[in-house]
Coordinates of all heavy atoms in Angstrom, one line a residue:
V1 N 9.0 9.9 0.7 CA 8.7 8.8 1.7 C 9.2 9.2 3.1 O 10.3 9.6 3.2 CB 9.2 7.5 1.3 CG1 9.1 6.4 2.4 CG2 8.5 7.0 0.0
V2 N 8.4 8.9 4.1 CA 8.8 8.9 5.5 C 8.4 7.6 6.2 O 7.5 6.9 5.7 CB 8.2 10.1 6.3 CG1 8.8 11.4 5.8 CG2 6.7 10.1 6.3
E3 N 9.1 7.2 7.2 CA 8.9 5.9 7.8 C 7.4 5.6 8.2 O 6.9 4.5 8.0 CB 9.8 5.7 9.0 CG 9.9 4.3 9.6 CD 10.5 3.3 8.6 OE1 11.4 3.8 7.8 OE2 10.1 2.2 8.5
L4 N 6.7 6.6 8.8 CA 5.4 6.4 9.2 C 4.4 6.2 8.0 O 3.5 5.4 8.1 CB 4.8 7.6 10.0 CG 5.5 7.8 11.4 CD1 5.0 9.1 12.1 CD2 5.2 6.6 12.3
A5 N 4.7 6.8 6.9 CA 3.9 6.6 5.7 C 4.0 5.2 5.2 O 3.0 4.7 4.7 CB 4.3 7.6 4.7
I6 N 5.1 4.6 5.3 CA 5.3 3.2 4.9 C 4.3 2.3 5.6 O 3.6 1.6 5.0 CB 6.8 2.8 5.1 CG1 7.7 3.5 4.2 CG2 6.9 1.3 4.8 CD1 9.2 3.2 4.5
S7 N 4.3 2.4 6.9 CA 3.4 1.5 7.7 C 2.0 1.8 7.4 O 1.2 0.9 7.2 CB 3.7 1.7 9.2 OG 5.0 1.3 9.5
R8 N 1.6 3.1 7.3 CA 0.3 3.5 7.0 C -0.2 2.9 5.7 O -1.3 2.3 5.6 CB 0.1 5.0 7.0 CG -1.3 5.5 6.9 CD -1.4 7.0 6.6 NE -0.8 7.2 5.3 CZ 0.1 8.1 5.0 NH1 0.6 8.9 6.0 NH2 0.6 8.3 3.8
D9 N 0.5 3.1 4.6 CA 0.1 2.7 3.3 C 0.1 1.2 3.2 O -0.9 0.6 2.6 CB 1.0 3.2 2.2 CG 0.7 4.7 1.8 OD1 -0.1 5.3 2.5 OD2 1.3 5.2 0.8
I10 N 1.0 0.5 3.7 CA 1.0 -1.0 3.6 C -0.1 -1.6 4.5 O -0.8 -2.5 4.0 CB 2.4 -1.6 4.0 CG1 3.4 -1.2 2.9 CG2 2.3 -3.1 4.2 CD1 4.8 -1.6 3.2
D11 N -0.3 -1.0 5.7 CA -1.5 -1.5 6.5 C -2.8 -1.2 5.7 O -3.7 -2.1 5.8 CB -1.5 -0.7 7.8 CG -0.4 -1.3 8.8 OD1 0.2 -2.3 8.5 OD2 -0.1 -0.5 9.7
A12 N -2.9 -0.1 5.0 CA -4.2 0.2 4.3 C -4.3 -0.9 3.2 O -5.5 -1.3 2.9 CB -4.1 1.6 3.7
L13 N -3.3 -1.2 2.5 CA -3.4 -2.2 1.4 C -3.8 -3.6 2.0 O -4.6 -4.3 1.4 CB -2.0 -2.4 0.7 CG -1.7 -1.2 -0.2 CD1 -0.2 -1.4 -0.7 CD2 -2.6 -1.2 -1.4
L14 N -3.2 -3.9 3.2 CA -3.6 -5.2 3.8 C -5.0 -5.2 4.3 O -5.6 -6.3 4.3 CB -2.6 -5.5 5.0 CG -1.2 -5.8 4.6 CD1 -0.3 -5.9 5.8 CD2 -1.2 -7.2 3.9
S15 N -5.5 -4.1 4.8 CA -6.9 -4.1 5.4 C -8.0 -3.9 4.4 O -9.1 -4.2 4.7 CB -6.9 -3.0 6.5 OG -6.8 -1.7 5.9
D16 N -7.7 -3.4 3.2 CA -8.8 -3.1 2.2 C -8.5 -3.9 1.0 O -7.7 -3.5 0.1 CB -8.8 -1.6 1.9 CG -9.9 -1.3 1.0 OD1 -10.7 -2.1 0.6 OD2 -10.0 -0.1 0.6
P17 N -9.2 -5.1 0.8 CA -9.0 -5.9 -0.4 C -9.2 -5.1 -1.7 O -8.5 -5.4 -2.7 CB -10.0 -7.0 -0.3 CG -10.3 -7.1 1.2 CD -10.2 -5.7 1.7
A18 N -10.1 -4.2 -1.7 CA -10.3 -3.4 -3.0 C -9.1 -2.6 -3.3 O -8.9 -2.2 -4.5 CB -11.6 -2.5 -2.8
A19 N -8.3 -2.2 -2.3 CA -7.1 -1.4 -2.6 C -5.9 -2.2 -3.1 O -4.9 -1.7 -3.4 CB -6.7 -0.7 -1.3
M20 N -6.1 -3.5 -3.2 CA -5.0 -4.4 -3.7 C -4.9 -4.4 -5.2 O -4.3 -5.3 -5.8 CB -5.2 -5.8 -3.1 CG -5.2 -5.9 -1.7 SD -3.8 -6.5 -0.8 CE -3.4 -8.0 -1.6
Y21 N -5.4 -3.4 -5.8 CA -5.3 -3.3 -7.3 C -3.8 -3.4 -7.6 O -2.9 -2.7 -7.1 CB -5.9 -2.0 -7.8 CG -5.8 -1.8 -9.2 CD1 -6.6 -2.6 -10.1 CD2 -5.0 -0.9 -9.8 CE1 -6.5 -2.5 -11.4 CE2 -4.9 -0.7 -11.2 CZ -5.7 -1.5 -12.0 OH -5.6 -1.4 -13.3
R22 N -3.5 -4.2 -8.6 CA -2.1 -4.6 -8.9 C -1.2 -3.4 -9.2 O 0.0 -3.3 -8.8 CB -2.0 -5.7 -9.9 CG -2.6 -5.3 -11.2 CD -2.7 -6.5 -12.1 NE -2.9 -6.0 -13.5 CZ -3.6 -6.6 -14.3 NH1 -4.2 -7.7 -14.0 NH2 -3.8 -6.1 -15.5
A23 N -1.7 -2.4 -10.0 CA -0.8 -1.3 -10.3 C -0.5 -0.4 -9.1 O 0.6 0.1 -9.0 CB -1.5 -0.4 -11.4
K24 N -1.5 -0.3 -8.2 CA -1.2 0.4 -6.9 C -0.2 -0.3 -6.1 O 0.7 0.3 -5.5 CB -2.5 0.6 -6.1 CG -2.3 1.4 -4.9 CD -3.6 1.8 -4.2 CE -3.3 2.3 -2.8 NZ -3.5 3.7 -2.7
L25 N -0.3 -1.6 -6.1 CA 0.8 -2.4 -5.4 C 2.1 -2.2 -6.0 O 3.1 -1.9 -5.3 CB 0.4 -3.9 -5.4 CG -0.6 -4.4 -4.5 CD1 -0.9 -5.9 -4.8 CD2 -0.2 -4.3 -3.1
L26 N 2.2 -2.2 -7.3 CA 3.5 -2.0 -8.0 C 4.1 -0.7 -7.6 O 5.2 -0.6 -7.3 CB 3.2 -2.2 -9.5 CG 4.4 -1.9 -10.4 CD1 5.6 -2.9 -10.1 CD2 4.0 -2.1 -11.8
A27 N 3.2 0.4 -7.8 CA 3.7 1.7 -7.5 C 4.1 1.8 -6.0 O 5.2 2.5 -5.7 CB 2.6 2.8 -7.8
T28 N 3.4 1.2 -5.1 CA 3.7 1.3 -3.7 C 5.0 0.6 -3.4 O 5.8 1.1 -2.6 CB 2.5 0.7 -2.8 OG1 1.3 1.5 -3.1 CG2 2.8 0.8 -1.4
F29 N 5.2 -0.6 -3.9 CA 6.5 -1.3 -3.7 C 7.7 -0.5 -4.1 O 8.7 -0.4 -3.5 CB 6.4 -2.7 -4.4 CG 5.5 -3.6 -3.8 CD1 4.7 -4.5 -4.7 CD2 5.2 -3.7 -2.5 CE1 3.8 -5.4 -4.1 CE2 4.3 -4.6 -1.9 CZ 3.6 -5.5 -2.8

């Protein structure tokens, strides 16, 4: 992990409802 990637991945999850798949959220958190 790097700081910029955190913002990029979380922003992508917030902007794309299809990407909110729960296992991906879990792994991302």
Side-chain angles (χ1 to χ4, degrees):
V1 172
V2 294
E3 192 65 34
L4 291 175
I6 293 173
S7 295
R8 184 192 68 232
D9 280 7
I10 291 176
D11 287 343
L13 287 170
L14 287 170
S15 66
D16 182 4
M20 299 259 306
Y21 182 69
R22 62 189 194 215
K24 182 174 169 104
L25 281 174
L26 176 58
T28 301
F29 292 141

